Amino acid sequence: MGAQLRVYKRRIRSVTATKKITKAMEMIAASRIVKAQRKVAASTPYATELTRAVTAVATGSNTNHPLTTEADNPTRAAVLLVTSDRGLAGGYSSNAIKQADRLIERLRGEGKEVDTYIVGRKGVAYYGFRERKVTESWTGFTDSPSYADAKKVAAPLIEAVQQDTAEGGVDELHIVFTEFVSMMTQTPVDNRMLPLSLEKGTDETGKGEILPLFDFEPSAEDVLDALLPRYVESRVYNALLQAAASEHAARRRAMKSATDNAGELINSLSRLANAARQAEITQEISEIVGGASALADATAGSDK
């Protein structure tokens, strides 16, 4: 076997092994998407109704609660960025980071200082490599977050909102994550969680739904104190679940593309290997024919 043919066969074996790995990762990601979608569907109604309840309390009372009232001159904001712990998901994490960068640039353009909170090793590594300050970070659960993880993430955010800005608190709370639209579409979005900015008589989508009227016992402020931490936790949990579903979908798409590319490369290398083999066979036949011809000529010369 010629040297060129050995090179082609070695590359074919290597690409074939890679193809098996990417195919397995594609199938694993596809199976996890279904579970993630179910979790998103299960958490969304609770988050929606809790948002409506908080909105009703905020719009149906005259209480100037610090978590629902716009600051006269906001000077500080917190941004929670949700990325992934693992790679091989295409541009999933980089797109979320770019969305966060745009949001942070806009907030700083408004004269606000920004405290950054990050979920996921990819975001932590990105900020660490560029020596950007991170207030707090969490890793290890992005592909399958639990409500306990959401509470752990939400706790310092709630504390920051409740504190005065002079003591390190913030006036606004934003979250950047990748929204799961479909198996083929995942969109990075940035939402402001706090303070609520809804007008009276509308739901959270602004479609004009009339909110119910409530009597508050013992007081609207006490109800807000109890509801708003749960509101932040539910919103963070829903965002983590949406991000997890988006991550699995992006990884499945990336691994399918890698598997298809590996198949095309194997076909191309196989054609080159066949051409090299044919060239070797042709050369061997030529050598045999030439040797036989030379031997015949030598035999004929000796007979004379």
Side-chain angles (χ1 to χ4, degrees), residues 5 8 269-282:
L5 184 57
Y8 287 139
L269 291 172
S270 298
R271 287 193 293 269
L272 293 173
N274 291 335
R277 185 183 301 108
Q278 291 173 0
E280 286 185 7
I281 293 172
T282 301

mmCIF file of all heavy atoms in Angstrom, residues 5 8 269-282:
data_model
loop_
_atom_site.group_PDB
_atom_site.id
_atom_site.type_symbol
_atom_site.label_atom_id
_atom_site.label_comp_id
_atom_site.label_asym_id
_atom_site.label_seq_id
_atom_site.Cartn_x
_atom_site.Cartn_y
_atom_site.Cartn_z
ATOM 1 N N LEU A 5 -2.139 6.451 0.038
ATOM 2 C CA LEU A 5 -3.331 5.675 0.369
ATOM 3 C C LEU A 5 -3.429 5.430 1.865
ATOM 4 O O LEU A 5 -4.518 5.469 2.447
ATOM 5 C CB LEU A 5 -3.300 4.347 -0.393
ATOM 6 C CG LEU A 5 -4.531 3.448 -0.233
ATOM 7 C CD1 LEU A 5 -5.791 4.180 -0.654
ATOM 8 C CD2 LEU A 5 -4.356 2.163 -1.036
ATOM 9 N N TYR A 8 -4.861 8.550 3.510
ATOM 10 C CA TYR A 8 -6.310 8.669 3.315
ATOM 11 C C TYR A 8 -7.070 7.720 4.223
ATOM 12 O O TYR A 8 -8.074 8.086 4.841
ATOM 13 C CB TYR A 8 -6.669 8.400 1.855
ATOM 14 C CG TYR A 8 -6.272 9.510 0.911
ATOM 15 C CD1 TYR A 8 -5.716 9.216 -0.340
ATOM 16 C CD2 TYR A 8 -6.446 10.835 1.252
ATOM 17 C CE1 TYR A 8 -5.349 10.233 -1.216
ATOM 18 C CE2 TYR A 8 -6.076 11.863 0.388
ATOM 19 C CZ TYR A 8 -5.527 11.554 -0.843
ATOM 20 O OH TYR A 8 -5.159 12.554 -1.700
ATOM 21 N N LEU A 269 -12.907 11.744 1.066
ATOM 22 C CA LEU A 269 -11.673 11.001 1.299
ATOM 23 C C LEU A 269 -11.733 9.614 0.663
ATOM 24 O O LEU A 269 -10.703 9.110 0.181
ATOM 25 C CB LEU A 269 -11.415 10.884 2.802
ATOM 26 C CG LEU A 269 -11.052 12.177 3.529
ATOM 27 C CD1 LEU A 269 -11.008 11.955 5.040
ATOM 28 C CD2 LEU A 269 -9.710 12.716 3.048
ATOM 29 N N SER A 270 -12.915 9.005 0.674
ATOM 30 C CA SER A 270 -13.060 7.689 0.046
ATOM 31 C C SER A 270 -12.804 7.774 -1.452
ATOM 32 O O SER A 270 -12.159 6.885 -2.044
ATOM 33 C CB SER A 270 -14.461 7.122 0.317
ATOM 34 O OG SER A 270 -14.667 6.931 1.699
ATOM 35 N N ARG A 271 -13.305 8.833 -2.094
ATOM 36 C CA ARG A 271 -13.052 9.001 -3.525
ATOM 37 C C ARG A 271 -11.564 9.202 -3.804
ATOM 38 O O ARG A 271 -11.005 8.648 -4.753
ATOM 39 C CB ARG A 271 -13.863 10.181 -4.054
ATOM 40 C CG ARG A 271 -15.353 9.905 -4.174
ATOM 41 C CD ARG A 271 -16.051 10.988 -4.989
ATOM 42 N NE ARG A 271 -16.032 12.272 -4.299
ATOM 43 C CZ ARG A 271 -16.982 12.685 -3.484
ATOM 44 N NH1 ARG A 271 -18.038 11.904 -3.241
ATOM 45 N NH2 ARG A 271 -16.914 13.862 -2.904
ATOM 46 N N LEU A 272 -10.916 9.996 -2.948
ATOM 47 C CA LEU A 272 -9.480 10.201 -3.114
ATOM 48 C C LEU A 272 -8.695 8.914 -2.882
ATOM 49 O O LEU A 272 -7.714 8.630 -3.588
ATOM 50 C CB LEU A 272 -8.999 11.290 -2.146
ATOM 51 C CG LEU A 272 -9.510 12.700 -2.414
ATOM 52 C CD1 LEU A 272 -9.087 13.646 -1.282
ATOM 53 C CD2 LEU A 272 -9.000 13.227 -3.753
ATOM 54 N N ALA A 273 -9.141 8.147 -1.878
ATOM 55 C CA ALA A 273 -8.470 6.871 -1.608
ATOM 56 C C ALA A 273 -8.647 5.906 -2.775
ATOM 57 O O ALA A 273 -7.706 5.187 -3.152
ATOM 58 C CB ALA A 273 -9.023 6.264 -0.323
ATOM 59 N N ASN A 274 -9.853 5.881 -3.354
ATOM 60 C CA ASN A 274 -10.085 5.007 -4.514
ATOM 61 C C ASN A 274 -9.229 5.434 -5.696
ATOM 62 O O ASN A 274 -8.678 4.583 -6.422
ATOM 63 C CB ASN A 274 -11.562 5.034 -4.903
ATOM 64 C CG ASN A 274 -12.448 4.358 -3.870
ATOM 65 O OD1 ASN A 274 -11.981 3.491 -3.118
ATOM 66 N ND2 ASN A 274 -13.707 4.746 -3.817
ATOM 67 N N ALA A 275 -9.131 6.747 -5.888
ATOM 68 C CA ALA A 275 -8.290 7.237 -6.992
ATOM 69 C C ALA A 275 -6.835 6.871 -6.759
ATOM 70 O O ALA A 275 -6.113 6.475 -7.692
ATOM 71 C CB ALA A 275 -8.449 8.746 -7.128
ATOM 72 N N ALA A 276 -6.374 6.978 -5.504
ATOM 73 C CA ALA A 276 -4.993 6.609 -5.194
ATOM 74 C C ALA A 276 -4.761 5.117 -5.387
ATOM 75 O O ALA A 276 -3.712 4.688 -5.893
ATOM 76 C CB ALA A 276 -4.658 7.018 -3.760
ATOM 77 N N ARG A 277 -5.756 4.309 -4.992
ATOM 78 C CA ARG A 277 -5.646 2.861 -5.169
ATOM 79 C C ARG A 277 -5.589 2.502 -6.654
ATOM 80 O O ARG A 277 -4.788 1.665 -7.087
ATOM 81 C CB ARG A 277 -6.822 2.161 -4.502
ATOM 82 C CG ARG A 277 -6.701 0.635 -4.543
ATOM 83 C CD ARG A 277 -7.893 -0.058 -3.942
ATOM 84 N NE ARG A 277 -8.093 0.312 -2.553
ATOM 85 C CZ ARG A 277 -9.072 1.083 -2.108
ATOM 86 N NH1 ARG A 277 -9.948 1.613 -2.967
ATOM 87 N NH2 ARG A 277 -9.191 1.359 -0.826
ATOM 88 N N GLN A 278 -6.443 3.141 -7.438
ATOM 89 C CA GLN A 278 -6.442 2.882 -8.875
ATOM 90 C C GLN A 278 -5.118 3.291 -9.511
ATOM 91 O O GLN A 278 -4.590 2.604 -10.403
ATOM 92 C CB GLN A 278 -7.592 3.625 -9.538
ATOM 93 C CG GLN A 278 -8.966 3.073 -9.167
ATOM 94 C CD GLN A 278 -10.095 3.923 -9.699
ATOM 95 O OE1 GLN A 278 -9.859 4.941 -10.346
ATOM 96 N NE2 GLN A 278 -11.335 3.511 -9.430
ATOM 97 N N ALA A 279 -4.573 4.414 -9.032
ATOM 98 C CA ALA A 279 -3.278 4.846 -9.560
ATOM 99 C C ALA A 279 -2.192 3.835 -9.215
ATOM 100 O O ALA A 279 -1.306 3.548 -10.038
ATOM 101 C CB ALA A 279 -2.925 6.218 -8.992
ATOM 102 N N GLU A 280 -2.251 3.286 -7.980
ATOM 103 C CA GLU A 280 -1.266 2.275 -7.587
ATOM 104 C C GLU A 280 -1.403 1.018 -8.437
ATOM 105 O O GLU A 280 -0.403 0.436 -8.869
ATOM 106 C CB GLU A 280 -1.437 1.928 -6.110
ATOM 107 C CG GLU A 280 -0.941 3.002 -5.160
ATOM 108 C CD GLU A 280 -1.015 2.559 -3.717
ATOM 109 O OE1 GLU A 280 -1.333 1.366 -3.489
ATOM 110 O OE2 GLU A 280 -0.782 3.382 -2.820
ATOM 111 N N ILE A 281 -2.668 0.589 -8.645
ATOM 112 C CA ILE A 281 -2.897 -0.616 -9.446
ATOM 113 C C ILE A 281 -2.395 -0.392 -10.871
ATOM 114 O O ILE A 281 -1.736 -1.267 -11.476
ATOM 115 C CB ILE A 281 -4.387 -0.983 -9.445
ATOM 116 C CG1 ILE A 281 -4.818 -1.417 -8.036
ATOM 117 C CG2 ILE A 281 -4.675 -2.089 -10.449
ATOM 118 C CD1 ILE A 281 -6.301 -1.615 -7.892
ATOM 119 N N THR A 282 -2.689 0.776 -11.429
ATOM 120 C CA THR A 282 -2.229 1.086 -12.786
ATOM 121 C C THR A 282 -0.712 1.075 -12.860
ATOM 122 O O THR A 282 -0.115 0.551 -13.826
ATOM 123 C CB THR A 282 -2.769 2.470 -13.216
ATOM 124 O OG1 THR A 282 -4.190 2.456 -13.159
ATOM 125 C CG2 THR A 282 -2.311 2.806 -14.623
#
